[in-house]
Amino acid sequence: MATIAFIGLGNMGAPMMRNLLKAGHTVLAFDLSEAACTAARDAGATIATGPGAAAGEAEVVVTMLPAGKHVREVYTAPDGIIAKAKPGSLFIDSSTVDVDSARFVAAAAEAAGHAMVDAPVSGGVGGAEAATLTFMVGGSDTAFRRAEPILSAMGKAIVHTGGPGNGQAAKICNNMILGISMLGVSEAFALAEKLGLGSQKLFDVASKSSGQCWSLTSYCPVPGPVPTSPANRDYQPGFAAALMLKDLKLAVEAGQSTGSPLPLGGEAAQMYALFCNAGFGGKDFSGIVNLLRGKP
Amino acid sequence: MATIAFIGLGNMGAPMMRNLLKAGHTVLAFDLSEAACTAARDAGATIATGPGAAAGEAEVVVTMLPAGKHVREVYTAPDGIIAKAKPGSLFIDSSTVDVDSARFVAAAAEAAGHAMVDAPVSGGVGGAEAATLTFMVGGSDTAFRRAEPILSAMGKAIVHTGGPGNGQAAKICNNMILGISMLGVSEAFALAEKLGLGSQKLFDVASKSSGQCWSLTSYCPVPGPVPTSPANRDYQPGFAAALMLKDLKLAVEAGQSTGSPLPLGGEAAQMYALFCNAGFGGKDFSGIVNLLRGKP
């Protein structure tokens, strides 16, 4: 069992941290929110005075932060994690951030003699609570082997997708396919409705044909065909539209950074921006079908 | 066994017609191409002097034509199928055409006392030859029941998707999802390549996650992960890009006709137009990944 610094105790970070405690690890926790720190203390963590202070007393650091700028700052500030960590520490960043930030911070960590993996997750708050998250892990083989037993206390699938930044790359590529296919399925249902073709009929054809996709057969955006999908509970997430927009923006950023044209990925980002700007960022991302139907 | 007029003996029509002969039906065939008629005669069909003449001596008429304008003409011309058919004939149009044309012709047939279904197919030339096509059938219950035994000689899945035009509606909605998801998957592979994330790694993550779709897991557009996909044989179709463009144009037409916004469907049509205009209409539609990679 390790002593682990855990930075970022939000909707995802808090339950992930509690699963590390449950597994028997010692946790030094920190968050800017005092309420989050109090809850972490109640759960059994020791509260540190800051990210650097927590890292200085741990062997492993796990971070779960909102965006790339926070990750850069928390790791590379003069009193940050890299500067204050014990020699040879292991850093696990489970935030979902841009690939460039992930690689920048990993290089800085390595230059200072630490090991680092980017390990963004899928599975949402439910997966964080049940310790059933999927981790997509970028980093060296050595760093991955060190991270794996820590991650296994918080998730059930831990996939090594290559060198630094490749965890983020895998996540944004997957989620871009997801955002695009959800919009494609939603356009098809909205068009079918106008053509007088029932949702169930379209589902019956496409689910057994070349239109089959997770967005259709596991997460159908209209009520009925898949009883467990958020469409059947007024689009309560699930996976909020604001988070899909965040991931699509990261994909667009990666496309611009590498010169990769993303005609549908870019259009999908614009559509989710429209949906979120209309006030539906807290709805499940499959609710975008109602924007297309003119009934948001 | 019925006497069937079969109009349109192209790449799809010819093998479909032969399967009707094999099943024991009598076929009166017609095509504008003399070579196609000669081949049909060799296969055992009687050649008629025109669509109306063929229909006048049959109980059932099957048509397999390139586009809506041909279907309108062949059925509604003064000496066409509707005018010349015996009272109470059954018409089966297996062409892929716009929903408006399908409904226009079905209404004209019904007004003249005939029954009609639109029954577009999926499964390609291979499915036509092997009699394993899927038929998506729009029409009344009575018309569907009459058409089913005829269609079963040419295909193995026969799905009733509602009233007139709904076969076409189901096909274009399914194929629009397919075109969009293929582009989404292709954008993801092209982006992953630029980010240094291997194709197999992305496949391993997305195929078991929310990015799963037929375009990825059955028809992967890059060589390697799915050995049977056209990517492994230099994108020989399969399903030609020109046919995907045709179907996406029909979807866009239906969207305009009904006032349904299709932001991704429209963009996908534009991308396939770019790909076909660049000279790749005869390649498999999954080859569009190479347009995105800058290596068409």
Side-chain angles (χ1 to χ4, degrees):
Chain A
M1 291 301 111
T3 299
I4 301 174
F6 201 108
I7 316 302
L9 305 164
N11 289 335
M12 294 292 293
M16 290 167 69
M17 185 277 294
R18 287 196 299 269
N19 283 323
L20 291 175
L21 288 170
K22 271 183 213 163
H25 297 291
T26 301
V27 177
L28 301 165
F30 180 75
D31 193 281
L32 290 176
S33 149
E34 219 168 290
C37 289
T38 304
R41 181 182 293 118
D42 293 348
T46 302
I47 306 307
T49 55
E57 295 176 48
E59 306 133 52
V60 176
V61 180
V62 181
T63 46
M64 193 59 173
L65 300 165
K69 64 182 175 183
H70 309 106
V71 172
R72 286 176 185 253
E73 189 182 319
V74 160
Y75 277 94
T76 65
D79 59 347
I81 291 168
I82 292 175
K84 298 296 183 187
K86 292 180 192 169
S89 289
L90 170 68
F91 305 151
I92 299 173
D93 180 34
S94 282
S95 321
T96 293
V97 306
D98 59 288
V99 176
D100 289 344
S101 289
R103 289 179 178 162
F104 174 84
V105 174
E110 202 179 325
H114 305 293
M116 182 160 192
V117 296
D118 51 298
V121 303
S122 72
V125 174
E129 283 169 351
T132 57
L133 293 170
T134 293
F135 288 93
M136 288 149 277
V137 186
S140 70
D141 289 347
T142 319
F144 176 77
R145 277 195 298 273
R146 286 177 66 189
E148 204 173 11
I150 308 290
L151 296 173
S152 66
M154 300 183 284
K156 69 171 181 184
I158 297 143
V159 188
H160 190 197
T161 55
N166 277 19
Q168 303 295 346
K171 178 167 181 182
I172 64 167
C173 286
N174 179 77
N175 282 17
M176 184 178 74
I177 297 174
L178 173 61
I180 289 170
S181 64
M182 181 55 79
L183 262 165
V185 167
S186 296
E187 289 181 20
F189 275 116
L191 176 60
E193 182 180 31
K194 288 276 182 75
L195 289 171
L197 173 66
S199 294
Q200 187 66 49
K201 290 286 183 194
L202 175 56
F203 182 87
D204 291 345
V205 168
S207 64
K208 288 178 191 128
S209 181
S210 50
Q212 186 280 325
C213 54
W214 188 92
S215 293
L216 177 71
T217 51
S218 293
Y219 213 80
C220 188
V222 297
V226 177
T228 54
S229 79
N232 301 286
R233 44 174 208 263
D234 195 29
Y235 301 96
Q236 291 310 301
F239 182 42
L243 293 175
M244 175 50 82
L245 176 57
K246 177 188 169 185
D247 291 352
L248 286 169
K249 282 178 169 174
L250 291 173
V252 168
E253 200 174 329
Q256 286 171 335
S257 170
T258 58
S260 305
L262 301 174
L264 296 204
E267 182 70 21
Q270 301 293 334
M271 291 300 297
Y272 275 100
L274 277 171
F275 190 55
C276 292
N277 288 353
F280 301 105
K283 287 279 184 183
D284 188 78
F285 81 114
S286 62
I288 202 158
V289 68
N290 289 326
L291 183 67
L292 294 161
R293 294 174 68 231
K295 293 163 189 171
Chain B
M1 291 299 112
T3 299
I4 302 175
F6 201 107
I7 316 301
L9 304 164
N11 289 336
M12 294 293 293
M16 290 167 70
M17 186 276 294
R18 288 196 299 269
N19 284 323
L20 291 176
L21 287 170
K22 270 183 213 162
H25 296 292
T26 301
V27 177
L28 301 165
F30 180 75
D31 193 281
L32 290 176
S33 150
E34 221 168 289
C37 287
T38 304
R41 182 182 293 117
D42 293 349
T46 301
I47 307 307
T49 55
E57 294 177 48
E59 304 132 54
V60 177
V61 180
V62 180
T63 47
M64 192 61 172
L65 300 164
K69 64 181 174 184
H70 309 105
V71 172
R72 285 178 187 251
E73 191 183 318
V74 160
Y75 277 93
T76 65
D79 59 347
I81 291 167
I82 293 175
K84 298 295 182 188
K86 292 181 194 169
S89 290
L90 170 67
F91 304 151
I92 300 174
D93 180 35
S94 281
S95 321
T96 294
V97 306
D98 58 289
V99 176
D100 289 343
S101 288
R103 289 179 177 162
F104 174 83
V105 174
E110 202 179 326
H114 306 294
M116 182 161 192
V117 296
D118 51 299
V121 303
S122 72
V125 173
E129 283 168 352
T132 56
L133 293 169
T134 294
F135 288 92
M136 289 150 276
V137 186
S140 69
D141 290 346
T142 316
F144 177 77
R145 276 196 298 273
R146 286 178 66 188
E148 203 173 12
I150 308 291
L151 296 173
S152 66
M154 301 182 283
K156 70 171 181 186
I158 297 144
V159 189
H160 190 198
T161 55
N166 277 19
Q168 303 295 347
K171 178 167 181 184
I172 63 169
C173 286
N174 179 77
N175 282 17
M176 185 178 74
I177 297 174
L178 172 62
I180 289 170
S181 65
M182 180 55 79
L183 263 165
V185 167
S186 296
E187 289 180 19
F189 275 116
L191 176 60
E193 182 179 30
K194 288 276 182 73
L195 290 171
L197 173 67
S199 293
Q200 188 65 49
K201 290 286 184 197
L202 175 55
F203 182 87
D204 292 346
V205 168
S207 63
K208 289 178 191 129
S209 180
S210 50
Q212 186 279 326
C213 55
W214 188 92
S215 293
L216 177 71
T217 51
S218 293
Y219 213 81
C220 188
V222 297
V226 177
T228 54
S229 78
N232 301 285
R233 46 174 207 263
D234 194 29
Y235 301 96
Q236 291 310 302
F239 183 42
L243 292 175
M244 176 50 83
L245 176 57
K246 177 191 169 183
D247 291 352
L248 287 169
K249 281 177 170 175
L250 291 173
V252 168
E253 201 175 328
Q256 286 171 335
S257 170
T258 58
S260 304
L262 301 174
L264 297 204
E267 182 70 20
Q270 300 291 335
M271 291 300 297
Y272 275 101
L274 277 172
F275 189 56
C276 292
N277 288 352
F280 300 105
K283 288 277 185 186
D284 188 77
F285 83 113
S286 61
I288 202 157
V289 69
N290 290 324
L291 182 70
L292 294 161
R293 294 173 69 230
K295 294 163 189 171

